[in-house]
Amino acid sequence: MRAPCGRLSRPAHRTWQHGGVTSATHSPSFPAVADSADAVLLGLDPEQREVATTLRGPVCVLAGAGTGKTRAITHRIAYGVRSGQLMPASVLAVTFTNRAAGEMRGRLRGLGAGGVQARTFHSAALRQLQYFWPRAVGGDVPRLLERKVQFVAEAGARCRVRLDRNELRDVTGEIEWAKVTQTVPADYPAAALKAGRETPRDPAEIAQVYGMYEQLKRDRGMIDFEDVLLLTVGILQDRHDIAEQIRTQYQHFVVDEYQDVSPLQQRLLDLWLGERDSLCVVGDASQTIYSFTGATPDHLLNFRTRYPQATVVKLVRDYRSTPQVVHLANGLLNQAGGRVAEHRLELVSQREAGPEPVHAEYPDEPAEAEGVARRIRDLVAAGVPAGEIAVLYRINAQSEVYEQALADAGVPYQLRGAERFFERNEVQKAILALRGAARSGGNDPLLDDVVELGSQVRAVLSSTGWAAQPPAGSGAVRDQWESVAALVRLAEDFARARPGATLADLTVELDERKAAQHAPTVQGVTLASLHAAKGLEWDAVFLVGLTDGMMPITYAKTDEQVEEERRLLYVGVTRARLHLNLSWALSRAPGGRPSRRPSRFLSGLRPGSAARGAGKGPAAEGGARKRGRRGPVLCRVCGRTLTEAGELKLMRCEDCPSDMDEGLYERLREWRAAQSRDQGVPAYCVFTDKTLMAIAEAAPGEPGELSMISGVGGRKLDRYGVDVLAICAGQEPGGQDADDA
């Protein structure tokens, strides 16, 4: 039985290709524990399974957005532990946020590998510093400075450098950048100039404040978070006995979000490893958006150079987003330039088709906010939970107009990046009440005749004034209600996953989540900056304020800075599972001159716009080599809109008739096999099968025609173009006619 265009209909049985694979990104809060090593592998697709079963030697996982990277590496660790190949205590998994580390620990517990250490770089280093400090230095570890801003302000005052609120924040950021790039105060001006940083004050003044800040910390016996890494590195470099003790403890390392590693973090990782190579790194250079903090994708991009024998696995099956969202995301990167763009991953959606992304233009910012709020209200009315909707913007200052518009529309919302969930007064009060009820056990009259855990939680929280029905309207009262409601939902999920769990068990779970800052989902629309949205996902995403000057931001001057802005928008697009809305306003205020232009990144992607080249502006556009196709791509045989990467390469549906020269295809395959052997790389690193098929179908006769084929980038054109064109012309790569060879 065939669907339109000769495509096979979906089979009834559930394989990993057709629905049998477990959701890669939208995992339950408390997954069931796998009962064996083989069970850990169930539901993984072939590439994820390869990651999970490759337990030795250096491994590099290039994982696109929504492809299940966390799933792949947690199942890798769990499979190693459950099969007896890895000892839990010998594995250290590191990532970049407490939330990500907490999620990783939760998944590992659910897979039966709860003894594995999953921490942030800073948490792992602090633990080691506290343990070894008395032996390496003597005395107590200096106190940790939680917030730098006060010390930076005092340092500025002592240097007679007056810093306003924004400058204070930015100078603090410059100090952090200097420390993670291992730059001392005296070297800061030259380093900032070399890095092309837009400094908030004169670099000499910042260097002076930086030096005084360091002096104040020393005088008061304090260290900051960057010092934790620096001091740990110093101890491991100077004390080989301590370094060997740590290396004896940890035999295997996993690093998530490897594109965000700073030079200082890489130095620490090198010291942990020593001469060994039992390392698995996971990352996506196209999601590098923190270079201003010192993060660099170079370590990820150079991994194969450093470890020539490394196993490289690419995850490109996107389980998060619809083909329409993925098509737009791929289109964004197709226009990118620079080294990162050469290593981009072309995602292939595994979901059913969904609605097309919506592009909306408004006369001014209030009108844009009101339009977005109306659309959100309609989605909520249609059944999309408010907690599954996000409004994402470039800078936090943009949030105010959306807060007002959502409040006016009666839609609850939460600000991400504001007060931490577990630090909210209503949450602390609720947890205190639950802890008291847990200690009382069966002596609490509130719990008489209440057996089920969720009902017990609701009964306890009702005594604090919380009601099961939300208050009318929005604002602070609704926000507080939503926070407590999130605890109730968490308790219900916990009870379903752990039958027989008690209030005491729940309070232990809440304590662990608080320590990891692993907050439950609050049922309100999320308002967040694009940077804060990294690692999250929603059913519906609204990307707002998409004008030149805001996206890319006006202070992105160099090509490299503009490309990072493009990647930031790519991260925003790939947060959406189903609904994606992109909008911009032509002026700031009502009645203002409509002088703004939609973001250049949307050129060729939004209806009615022409493609623009990679680079920062008109000058870059003129000289850029056009690459890829813009807008909808139609099958050249049947006319259907193409969305999948393989079809886009071929410019036709997979099942439509092919006019490929079979002999040319076989000659290209033989040539590729020889290149693969000579270079010691997998064949797909030369060209994929789909790219070879596209070449054999097009039979290009000159470099320009070859360059237009998807999968033939500038680097591969330079390296292989002469050979490929010779083969297409019926010649051997050396210039001989194929018939005479």
Side-chain angles (χ1 to χ4, degrees):
M1 178 177 177
R2 287 188 175 269
C5 197
R7 298 169 68 86
L8 289 171
S9 61
R10 184 174 298 252
H13 63 282
R14 291 171 61 81
T15 65
W16 67 265
Q17 301 103 316
H18 301 293
V21 63
T22 308
S23 172
T25 59
H26 200 192
S27 301
S29 299
F30 302 97
V33 176
D35 57 8
S36 68
D38 289 340
V40 170
L41 301 178
L42 294 177
L44 299 182
D45 68 30
E47 293 79 22
Q48 292 171 346
R49 181 179 285 256
E50 183 179 0
V51 174
T53 54
T54 306
L55 299 175
R56 301 295 173 184
V59 177
C60 180
V61 183
L62 302 176
T67 58
K69 67 178 180 63
T70 304
R71 176 180 178 79
I73 57 175
T74 52
H75 282 245
R76 177 183 188 269
I77 295 169
Y79 179 72
V81 169
R82 299 296 296 273
S83 64
Q85 299 179 65
L86 301 178
M87 295 295 293
S90 72
V91 180
L92 177 59
V94 289
T95 186
F96 284 81
T97 67
N98 287 322
R99 177 188 171 279
E103 180 181 351
M104 192 178 291
R105 285 195 294 271
R107 292 199 192 193
L108 288 169
R109 282 202 307 270
L111 292 167
V116 172
Q117 290 292 316
R119 297 181 173 273
T120 65
F121 270 101
H122 286 90
S123 172
L126 180 60
R127 196 161 180 255
Q128 293 172 13
L129 191 67
Q130 290 170 332
Y131 184 82
F132 290 110
W133 183 274
R135 174 172 150 194
V137 181
D140 296 328
V141 180
R143 288 180 298 135
L144 188 62
L145 178 63
E146 296 281 352
R147 287 174 54 82
K148 299 184 182 72
V149 172
Q150 294 94 331
F151 269 47
V152 175
E154 184 178 346
R158 292 199 178 196
C159 295
R160 297 184 180 178
V161 177
R162 296 191 62 179
L163 302 170
D164 63 29
R165 183 177 178 181
N166 290 331
E167 288 176 329
L168 187 58
R169 181 196 62 208
D170 292 343
V171 169
T172 301
E174 287 301 297
I175 292 173
E176 291 174 346
W177 172 82
K179 298 187 75 167
V180 300
T181 56
Q182 303 174 76
T183 302
V184 298
D187 294 340
Y188 169 79
L193 179 64
K194 182 178 180 181
R197 295 186 72 81
E198 291 282 335
T199 58
R201 294 290 292 259
D202 182 272
E205 288 183 323
I206 296 177
Q208 189 180 9
V209 174
Y210 177 16
M212 180 56 68
Y213 166 80
E214 292 296 309
Q215 183 63 51
L216 287 173
K217 287 196 290 94
R218 284 194 296 272
D219 291 346
R220 297 174 189 178
M222 303 193 78
I223 58 175
D224 60 27
F225 281 103
E226 288 71 41
D227 291 329
V228 170
L229 300 182
L230 285 163
L231 290 168
T232 306
V233 164
I235 288 175
L236 297 184
Q237 286 179 158
D238 294 343
R239 292 292 300 268
H240 298 292
D241 57 327
I242 292 177
E244 284 306 314
Q245 186 172 341
I246 290 176
R247 291 167 194 159
T248 300
Q249 169 72 49
Y250 296 117
Q251 303 288 322
H252 309 280
F253 296 85
V254 177
V255 184
D256 194 10
E257 303 287 5
Y258 194 55
Q259 77 278 351
D260 291 332
V261 166
S262 70
L264 179 56
Q265 290 165 332
Q266 181 63 47
R267 180 63 187 138
L268 178 59
L269 179 61
D270 290 341
L271 288 165
W272 283 340
L273 277 166
E275 299 300 318
R276 300 166 302 173
D277 62 2
S278 186
L279 171 65
C280 175
V281 301
V282 189
D284 178 9
S286 295
Q287 296 188 67
T288 304
I289 59 173
Y290 294 109
S291 67
F292 62 93
T293 67
T296 171
D298 289 347
H299 305 297
L300 176 66
L301 298 179
N302 295 335
F303 194 83
R304 278 294 300 273
T305 302
R306 183 172 183 181
Y307 298 105
Q309 76 280 23
T311 299
V312 178
V313 184
K314 292 184 179 181
L315 303 183
V316 296
R317 303 177 196 269
D318 187 326
Y319 297 94
R320 174 188 299 158
S321 305
T322 62
Q324 287 75 13
V325 173
V326 167
H327 183 52
L328 180 59
N330 286 337
L332 270 175
L333 294 188
N334 283 342
Q335 300 186 31
R339 186 187 181 207
V340 170
E342 294 176 0
H343 295 266
R344 69 184 183 277
L345 299 169
E346 189 154 0
L347 300 176
V348 183
S349 176
Q350 305 298 296
R351 293 194 56 173
E352 298 289 342
E356 291 290 338
V358 175
H359 297 78
E361 182 173 279
Y362 296 90
D364 52 68
E365 288 182 7
E368 182 181 5
E370 290 167 8
V372 167
R374 283 195 302 272
R375 174 66 177 144
I376 289 174
R377 186 177 58 194
D378 292 344
L379 285 174
V380 172
V384 179
E388 289 294 349
I389 302 173
V391 178
L392 307 181
Y393 33 76
R394 178 60 181 84
I395 60 174
N396 288 319
Q398 293 173 272
S399 74
E400 185 176 358
V401 66
Y402 292 94
E403 294 177 55
Q404 185 62 54
L406 289 171
D408 291 344
V411 176
Y413 66 87
Q414 56 170 327
L415 273 173
R416 185 165 182 85
E419 185 181 23
R420 289 180 173 181
F421 179 84
F422 288 104
E423 293 173 2
R424 298 174 188 175
N425 183 59
E426 65 272 17
V427 173
Q428 293 180 342
K429 182 179 177 182
I431 293 177
L432 187 64
L434 292 172
R435 186 171 287 115
R439 282 197 297 265
S440 299
N443 299 321
D444 192 330
L446 278 172
L447 305 181
D448 287 348
D449 302 321
V450 181
V451 178
E452 194 265 326
L453 180 58
S455 299
Q456 291 180 341
V457 170
R458 285 190 292 273
V460 172
L461 296 181
S462 295
S463 70
T464 68
W466 183 80
Q469 293 300 315
S474 57
V477 173
R478 179 61 180 257
D479 289 346
Q480 292 168 5
W481 184 90
E482 293 286 359
S483 296
V484 180
L487 287 177
V488 175
R489 287 191 297 274
L490 180 70
E492 292 169 345
D493 290 343
F494 186 69
R496 281 192 292 271
R498 307 283 190 271
T502 64
L503 274 175
D505 297 327
L506 176 63
T507 60
V508 171
E509 174 68 23
L510 290 173
D511 287 342
E512 290 179 355
R513 283 175 167 260
K514 180 178 180 181
Q517 287 302 322
H518 187 193
T521 301
V522 175
Q523 281 305 322
V525 173
T526 298
L527 298 179
S529 71
L530 286 162
H531 282 101
K534 178 74 167 62
L536 303 174
E537 59 185 89
W538 296 269
D539 283 345
V541 169
F542 290 78
L543 301 174
V544 300
L546 300 181
T547 59
D548 266 347
M550 189 60 73
M551 178 54 67
I553 199 78
T554 186
Y555 52 74
K557 304 293 186 184
T558 67
D559 286 353
E560 187 175 340
Q561 290 167 342
V562 170
E563 287 306 318
E564 181 151 337
E565 292 287 298
R566 189 193 307 274
R567 295 195 295 270
L568 186 57
L569 181 57
Y570 172 79
V571 166
V573 167
T574 54
R575 300 309 94 194
R577 299 191 193 105
L578 181 61
H579 302 282
L580 178 63
N581 291 255
L582 305 98
S583 62
W584 58 91
L586 298 179
S587 67
R588 187 181 68 82
R593 186 164 63 91
S595 58
R596 293 174 171 176
R597 298 175 58 193
S599 170
R600 72 192 71 167
F601 299 148
L602 300 180
S603 297
L605 301 176
R606 60 185 175 86
S609 64
R612 297 172 68 178
K616 65 177 181 178
E621 291 166 24
R625 180 174 68 89
K626 292 184 179 179
R627 57 180 304 154
R629 289 164 286 273
R630 309 295 180 250
V633 180
L634 304 181
C635 173
R636 55 189 167 85
V637 180
C638 71
R640 185 181 69 86
T641 298
L642 304 178
T643 57
E644 297 185 359
E647 295 177 338
L648 290 168
K649 285 182 184 294
L650 298 173
M651 288 294 289
R652 63 171 174 81
C653 300
E654 290 274 6
D655 295 323
C656 277
S658 169
D659 54 358
M660 181 178 69
D661 182 335
E662 295 287 348
L664 174 56
Y665 179 66
E666 288 304 319
R667 292 196 299 275
L668 288 168
R669 282 175 56 88
E670 291 171 4
W671 166 83
R672 183 183 64 172
Q675 293 290 326
S676 172
R677 288 192 300 272
D678 292 346
Q679 297 174 38
V681 299
Y684 66 77
C685 290
V686 181
F687 285 119
T688 64
D689 286 344
K690 285 292 193 302
T691 300
L692 288 188
M693 290 175 67
I695 294 172
E697 289 186 358
E702 50 93 14
E705 294 175 358
L706 179 58
S707 71
M708 294 303 294
I709 296 174
S710 179
V712 183
R715 187 166 55 90
K716 291 192 176 182
L717 181 66
D718 293 340
R719 185 167 189 176
Y720 304 124
V722 173
D723 280 4
V724 170
L725 290 172
I727 295 170
C728 290
Q731 301 173 341
E732 288 296 317
Q736 228 179 340
D737 283 343
D739 292 339
D740 299 332

